[in-house]
Amino acid sequence: ASKREIKKAYHAAAKRWHPDKNRAEGQEARLEKAERNFKLIARAYEVLSDPDTRAAYDRGENVDDPKWAQRQSAQQEAQRRGGNVRFNAGPQGQQQFQRKGGRGGGGQRRGPRTFHF
């Protein structure tokens, strides 16, 4: 679907399920359903309107997983810096120096190398 079609569908669904339009005396269950649906609609629009998140969703990745969001932000930061080296504060204040990839030549190492200072 195009961006315009997504936006149009979002506006129609958001208008239908907006909690203010579904408030009525004695119908608390309807209001709860409207609030739940409105949040789901907003999240769907958020995912589909961002090209990177939409591509991940189309690949079958769980874009609502907090670890996925952390990986995405780390990858974007690495791309912004243009390098493959990360310097993070580790457990108990230790600093970890991590480098992606393995050694040249022989066998490949799995996972990042970690050095504690």
Side-chain angles (χ1 to χ4, degrees):
S2 70
K3 287 183 179 183
R4 186 168 189 227
E5 291 171 331
I6 292 169
K7 191 172 188 177
K8 187 176 179 180
Y10 164 71
H11 282 286
K15 186 177 179 181
R16 177 178 179 213
W17 288 107
H18 195 281
D20 290 343
K21 289 202 167 255
N22 289 282
R23 258 184 232 285
E25 292 292 325
Q27 293 188 349
E28 287 77 22
R30 181 178 172 88
L31 177 61
E32 289 177 20
K33 183 178 179 180
E35 289 173 346
R36 185 177 60 247
N37 285 343
F38 188 75
K39 288 177 185 177
L40 289 172
I41 291 163
R43 179 62 182 145
Y45 179 69
E46 183 181 337
V47 169
L48 294 176
S49 62
D50 180 49
D52 295 332
T53 310
R54 183 177 179 179
Y57 178 80
D58 289 342
R59 287 190 302 268
E61 296 178 24
N62 183 1
V63 296
D64 289 327
D65 181 15
K67 290 182 180 181
W68 179 87
Q70 289 173 349
R71 285 191 308 269
Q72 272 305 101
S73 63
Q75 288 173 356
Q76 289 173 351
E77 181 66 22
Q79 287 176 354
R80 187 183 65 79
R81 289 184 184 173
N84 66 345
V85 176
R86 294 180 291 189
F87 189 71
N88 299 329
Q92 302 167 348
Q94 295 174 340
Q95 294 177 336
Q96 297 176 348
F97 183 75
Q98 299 175 334
R99 182 177 196 95
K100 295 181 184 176
R103 297 179 181 172
Q108 290 281 331
R109 287 177 55 105
R110 293 183 188 217
R113 284 186 261 168
T114 304
F115 302 96
H116 297 278
F117 296 101

